[in-house]
């Protein structure tokens, strides 16, 4: 349940991590994201979630969905808390080959040095109004985000589970606890029936990122792309790009929503500066109300 409004959605598959932090049951948690499972729960539970560049954090021990998109990241109440955790979990891990090449992005001295309250100064931010900022009549978003645009323009235990078939067997054995009847095993069964993603599809996804998000960022010399909520999660997921979700406001009933800053691979330092500066300038987050 969403701790702000119990009847509202908490979103994504890492919602437990976001809920526990938002409800003050934990100081920090980790989430896993394939497409939106860190950014979306952070957006709906008024917490900070960092989806790192693919391979910056090890996925060893994480049940895989897509090795080319899976990412582990911190979910905390503040940007500084999330960055403290990020500093601990980044780095090379021989159990995850993706960390070998991505570790080159880790700055000497870690990420805490980029917690700069003036981090927005001099940054170029991209705002794609269509489709990301096309809202329904009566939505609180237009007024809230226009205000935010003004702000932005200013300155472990070992598991025997090793394969997808192991996961399927585990779910079948504990079907009641895993709520198989409610949620179903279809995605796992469909994935198990394949031989993995083919090269033609991989090339299409690579071209989509290169000719879309990368081209946009480079042509306009942007430091980050700004979107409401977690609308950009699929774009970031396909290319393995990083993103940070920060609390941005509340609907009239008290349901939270966030703002997301996404960037190119290895751009965590800039995104942290932007996210921290925005957080310090707005100080929007408030404790949950546990309304029905």
């Amino acid at each position: 349940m969403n701790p702000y409004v119990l009847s509202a959605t908490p979103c994504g598959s890492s919602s437990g991590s976001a809920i526990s932090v938002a409800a003050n049951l934990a100081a920090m948690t980790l989430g896993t994201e394939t497409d939106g499972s860190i950014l979306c729960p952070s957006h709906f539970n008024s917490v900070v979630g960092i989806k790192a560049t693919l391979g910056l954090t090890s996925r060893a021990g994480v049940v895989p969905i897509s090795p080319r998109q899976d990412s582990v990241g911190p979910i905390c109440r503040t940007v500084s808390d999330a960055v403290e955790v990020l500093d601990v979990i980044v780095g090379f891990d021989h159990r995850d080959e993706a960390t070998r090449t991505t570790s080159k992005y880790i700055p000497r001295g870690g990420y805490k040095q980029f917690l700069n309250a003036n981090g927005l100064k001099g940054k170029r931010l991209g705002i794609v109004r269509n489709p990301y900022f096309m809202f329904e009549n009566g939505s609180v978003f237009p007024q809230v985000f226009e205000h935010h645009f003004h702000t932005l323009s200013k300155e472990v235990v070992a598991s025997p589970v090793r394969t997808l078939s192991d996961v399927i067997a585990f779910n079948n054995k504990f079907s009641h606890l895993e709520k198989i009847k409610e949620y179903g095993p279809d995605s796992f069964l469909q994935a198990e029936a394949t031989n993995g993603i083919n090269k033609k599809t991989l090339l299409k996804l690579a071209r989509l990122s290169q000719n879309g998000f990368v081209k946009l960022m480079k042509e306009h010399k942007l430091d980050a792309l700004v979107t409401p909520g977690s609308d950009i999660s699929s774009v970031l997921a396909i290319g393995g790009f990083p993103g940070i979700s920060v609390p941005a406001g509340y609907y009239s009933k008290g349901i939270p929503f966030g703002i997301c800053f996404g960037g190119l691979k290895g751009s965590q330092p800039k995104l942290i500066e932007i996210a921290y500066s925005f957080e310090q300038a707005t100080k929007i987050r408030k404790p949950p109300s546990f309304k029905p």
Side-chain angles (χ1 to χ4, degrees), residues 14 19 40 107 111-112 121 173 175 183 217 252 268 283:
S14 290
I19 291 166
C40 188
Y111 290 104
K112 289 192 291 291
K121 188 174 182 180
K173 184 177 181 180
S175 58
Y183 298 107
M217 295 291 289
S252 57
Q268 276 84 203
K283 295 187 182 296

Side-chain angles (χ1 to χ4, degrees), residues 177-233:
L177 291 174
E178 294 299 317
K179 297 184 179 295
I180 294 301
K181 286 186 178 180
E182 290 90 334
Y183 298 107
D186 293 354
S187 296
F188 283 173
L189 295 175
Q190 290 166 6
E192 181 68 2
T194 71
N195 294 317
I197 193 167
N198 60 59
K199 290 184 178 180
K200 186 179 289 186
T201 303
L202 286 172
L203 287 173
K204 284 182 179 179
L205 290 172
R207 281 199 296 267
L208 186 63
S209 290
Q210 195 63 38
N211 297 330
F213 185 65
V214 174
K215 184 178 180 181
L216 174 72
M217 295 291 289
K218 288 185 175 180
E219 281 189 353
H220 295 278
K221 299 179 181 178
L222 302 178
D223 294 301
L225 194 67
V226 184
T227 60
S230 57
D231 291 355
I232 199 176
S233 66

Side-chain angles (χ1 to χ4, degrees), residues 237-255:
I238 289 170
F241 303 116
I244 301 180
S245 180
V246 182
Y250 301 85
Y251 294 102
S252 57
K253 293 183 178 180
I255 301 170

Side-chain angles (χ1 to χ4, degrees), residues 58-105:
S58 173
R59 286 87 50 86
V62 174
V63 176
I65 295 179
S66 171
R68 70 179 309 279
Q69 291 185 201
D70 293 340
S71 183
V72 176
I75 300 178
C76 300
R77 285 186 289 274
T78 66
V79 175
S80 58
D81 284 351
V83 171
E84 290 275 0
V85 177
L86 185 66
D87 266 338
V88 174
I89 64 175
V90 298
F92 171 68
D93 182 350
H94 67 89
R95 297 169 297 173
D96 184 351
E97 189 60 28
T99 61
R100 185 182 300 278
T101 54
T102 310
S103 59
K104 67 185 179 185
Y105 292 126

Side-chain angles (χ1 to χ4, degrees), residues 152-168:
L152 293 170
S153 66
K154 293 189 305 182
E155 335 238 302
V156 173
V157 176
S159 169
V161 176
R162 290 290 179 268
T163 66
L164 183 54
S165 61
D166 289 341
V167 176
I168 294 170

